[in-house]
Structure formats: structure tokens, C-alpha cells
């Protein structure tokens, strides 16, 4: 099962790598629809005709996109009317899914080991810093191997 998860993670990382540069692109303040339409010197009436809508409806679409209240289907439809392909995806903040999992596993392992060590200290059975670090590493590796659901709590 571990190899299957590892393979799925690697495949997903490869797919998401295509979006890496897209994560650097700043969305225009008025949104992409308005920016593209005005750059093409297209009026709201003209875009409305292509969409079968009024210019007022186009203005609402532009406002909804700028405020993040537009549907993916609507963006796709407007993209078609603008002779553009709508592209949609996610970019991992940690650079990759693998990095995200490593970070979460390390944090969870640290939390568990330090909590356990604190209890042991209260009982006069605390362990050395080296042993704590080794335990964190071992537990993080185990968490990654098992892909525990608690990773996402």
C-alpha cells in the first residue's frame, strides 16, 4: 500500500508542477475578465452578445469574478466567448505534495514526542535531546509511511 501512495504522490506532484509558475501570477485587481476584455478593446455589449447576455449581466460577471463569487462553469463559458482556455489548478504552498506531507508529519511527530516526553519528565523519566530528535524522526517516518489521517487534523 505504501508504494501505491508514494506513486500517487509522485504522479500528483508531476501534474501540479505544471502550475508552479502560475502561482506567481498576480490576479488583476478588476479580475481577468475585465482586464482581458478591455485589453482586447471589447465592449461589455460585444462580450454580452457572445454570451447571450446584456452588458449589465457582463458587468455583474466581472464584479463577481473580482470578488471571488463566480462559478468555475461561468469562468469556462466566458473564456470560450473570449477565445481563451480557462485553466484551473492548485499550487502547493510548500512546493510539492511530498513537502507538504513531510512538513505535516514532522510537526505531528514533534507534537506527540514532546507531549510524551513532558509526561515522562513529570515522572522523572525524561530523555536526552538527541533521543527526542531521533524519536521525532522515527515517528515522522512512520506517519509518512502509514499516511495517517491524523496528519490532517
Amino acid at each position: 500500500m505504501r508504494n501505491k501512495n508514494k506513486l500517487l504522490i509522485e504522479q500528483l506532484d508531476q501534474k501540479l508542477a505544471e502550475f508552479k509558475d502560475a502561482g506567481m501570477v498576480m490576479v488583476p485587481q478588476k479580475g481577468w475578465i475585465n482586464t482581458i476584455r478591455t485589453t482586447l478593446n471589447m465592449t461589455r455589449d460585444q462580450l454580452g452578445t457572445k454570451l447571450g447576455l446584456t452588458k449589465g449581466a457582463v458587468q455583474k460577471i466581472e464584479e463577481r469574478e473580482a470578488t471571488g463569487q463566480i462559478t468555475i462553469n461561468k469562468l469556462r463559458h466566458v473564456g470560450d466567448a473570449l477565445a481563451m482556455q480557462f485553466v484551473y489548478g492548485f499550487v502547493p504552498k510548500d512546493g510539492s505534495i511530498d513537502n507538504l506531507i513531510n512538513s505535516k508529519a514532522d510537526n505531528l511527530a514533534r507534537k506527540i514526542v514532546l507531549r510524551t516526553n513532558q509526561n515522562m519528565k513529570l515522572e522523572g523519566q525524561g530523555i536526552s535531546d538527541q533521543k527526542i530528535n531521533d524519536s521525532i524522526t522515527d515517528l515522522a517516518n512512520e506517519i509518512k509511511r502509514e499516511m495517517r489521517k491524523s496528519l490532517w487534523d
Side-chain angles (χ1 to χ4, degrees):
M1 191 60 142
R2 181 198 179 291
N3 288 337
K4 181 181 176 187
N5 280 341
K6 186 170 174 50
L7 180 62
L8 290 172
I9 291 165
E10 289 172 3
Q11 289 173 339
L12 183 56
D13 270 340
Q14 285 176 348
K15 287 180 183 180
L16 294 179
E18 300 292 325
F19 289 99
K20 186 177 181 185
D21 291 339
M24 304 293 203
V25 177
M26 299 296 294
V27 176
Q29 185 177 3
K30 292 185 176 185
W32 287 110
I33 298 169
N34 178 279
T35 301
I36 292 168
R37 180 185 60 74
T38 56
T39 299
L40 295 175
N41 201 25
M42 181 186 291
T43 66
R44 285 190 176 119
D45 273 331
Q46 290 171 316
L47 180 55
T49 299
K50 292 176 177 291
L51 293 168
L53 301 171
T54 65
K55 73 177 181 179
V58 170
Q59 181 177 352
K60 288 286 186 198
I61 288 171
E62 290 178 348
E63 289 168 1
R64 284 190 197 115
E65 185 214 353
T67 60
Q69 299 173 340
I70 192 166
T71 66
I72 291 171
N73 281 337
K74 185 59 77 178
L75 288 169
R76 212 175 262 128
H77 187 61
V78 173
D80 288 341
L82 291 168
M84 301 271 177
Q85 178 182 357
F86 175 71
V87 179
Y88 161 88
F90 292 96
V91 179
K93 292 178 181 178
D94 287 340
S96 70
I97 296 294
D98 195 43
N99 289 348
L100 172 64
I101 291 168
N102 287 335
S103 174
K104 292 286 191 177
D106 290 343
N107 289 339
L108 180 58
R110 179 172 305 284
K111 181 178 170 183
I112 292 169
V113 169
L114 292 179
R115 184 177 351 130
T116 303
N117 187 54
Q118 182 62 31
N119 291 338
M120 290 173 67
K121 277 184 182 177
L122 294 173
E123 297 170 4
Q125 301 171 11
I127 56 177
S128 70
D129 287 348
Q130 182 59 47
K131 182 66 175 161
I132 289 172
N133 288 335
D134 291 346
S135 296
I136 290 170
T137 300
D138 291 345
L139 183 56
N141 288 334
E142 181 182 325
I143 290 168
K144 287 183 273 191
R145 239 185 345 269
E146 296 174 359
M147 281 296 290
R148 294 182 183 177
K149 294 193 186 319
S150 60
L151 203 55
W152 311 111
D153 289 341

